[in-house]
Amino acid sequence: MLGMLVVAGMVLSALAAPVDSAAASAPTEKITLDIKTINGSGCPAGTATASADVASDNTSFTVRYTNFTAKAGGGTSALDARKNCQINVLVHVPQGFTYAIAEAEYRGYAHIESGASALEQANYYFAGTSPTARVRHTYPGPFHGVWRASDTTDVAALVFAPCGEDRNLNINAELRADAGTSSGTSYIEMDSEHASVDTIYHFAWKTC
């Protein structure tokens, strides 16, 4: 399955050393992001493409996927029921700043038959650190339309990237579909063909 995605904006939080400094407004200097790899059953290596465009105010970034879909029932393969897509990015931030991810907003499209269900979950981590916990969002059928989910981190629990280091950041998203007792086909997707579908990550900034 083709898994194309476009990343607009910037960085992500994970487990790294906390920084003891005051909260800061977003830096005004332009942030850059380099996508290193894209892989997963929802975006196989060699078939996926990506580009990056930092948000103008440096407060968030948006991920848009194409054909990232999990489906079950109606004669679909068991391999179609669970899909993931992981991107690895190198984030460059202005000197004197570091960051965490304070909130992630997920939106997608789904058709879920009565008796079926679907879920979305994601986690994030810097190279050399432990992954953050996955937060599951489950959607029971019947359902047809845009789904939404939000993961928010308390201010006291924010974990910031180490000051003065460029760390590769991994974003791993997963979709699952379960036919359950239904006989028809159900699916859940994050697909940029639907204008209302995207994933937005909000930064928290600190000075070093």
Side-chain angles (χ1 to χ4, degrees):
M1 173 181 295
L2 176 63
M4 298 173 59
L5 52 80
V6 177
V7 179
M10 271 238 29
V11 326
L12 222 71
S13 76
L15 301 179
V19 175
D20 294 323
S21 56
S25 299
T28 57
E29 182 181 341
K30 185 70 171 179
I31 298 169
T32 61
L33 178 151
D34 298 325
I35 298 175
K36 298 301 184 182
T37 61
I38 310 168
N39 204 359
S41 57
C43 51
T47 65
T49 60
S51 61
D53 182 22
V54 177
S56 61
D57 61 2
N58 292 335
T59 61
S60 66
F61 69 97
T62 300
V63 176
R64 296 186 178 93
Y65 300 89
T66 299
N67 296 330
F68 182 15
T69 306
K71 54 187 176 181
T76 60
S77 166
L79 296 176
D80 293 329
R82 180 175 178 175
K83 298 291 183 179
N84 82 294
C85 187
Q86 178 164 304
I87 64 174
N88 178 279
V89 298
L90 179 60
V91 175
H92 306 276
V93 301
Q95 186 174 3
F97 284 88
T98 187
Y99 56 85
I101 292 301
E103 182 180 5
E105 299 178 50
Y106 303 96
R107 287 190 293 236
Y109 200 81
H111 172 79
I112 307 170
E113 296 280 321
S114 180
S117 64
L119 73 81
E120 172 275 331
Q121 61 183 1
N123 66 349
Y124 332 99
Y125 60 97
F126 292 114
T129 67
S130 300
T132 59
R134 290 181 179 270
V135 180
R136 291 190 173 196
H137 301 281
T138 304
Y139 305 94
F143 179 88
H144 183 80
V146 174
W147 56 267
R148 295 176 175 84
S150 180
D151 297 342
T152 303
T153 303
D154 292 337
V155 173
L158 287 173
V159 181
F160 289 81
C163 283
E165 295 185 23
D166 286 337
R167 290 282 189 97
N168 281 31
L169 174 69
N170 294 286
I171 307 169
N172 189 14
E174 182 176 348
L175 299 175
R176 298 185 191 182
D178 185 344
T181 60
S182 67
S183 57
T185 301
S186 297
Y187 65 86
I188 181 171
E189 67 181 16
M190 288 192 280
D191 187 343
S192 61
E193 290 183 2
H194 294 97
S196 58
V197 172
D198 52 31
T199 303
I200 304 171
Y201 299 94
H202 298 272
F203 298 128
W205 289 98
K206 279 191 176 184
T207 53
C208 295

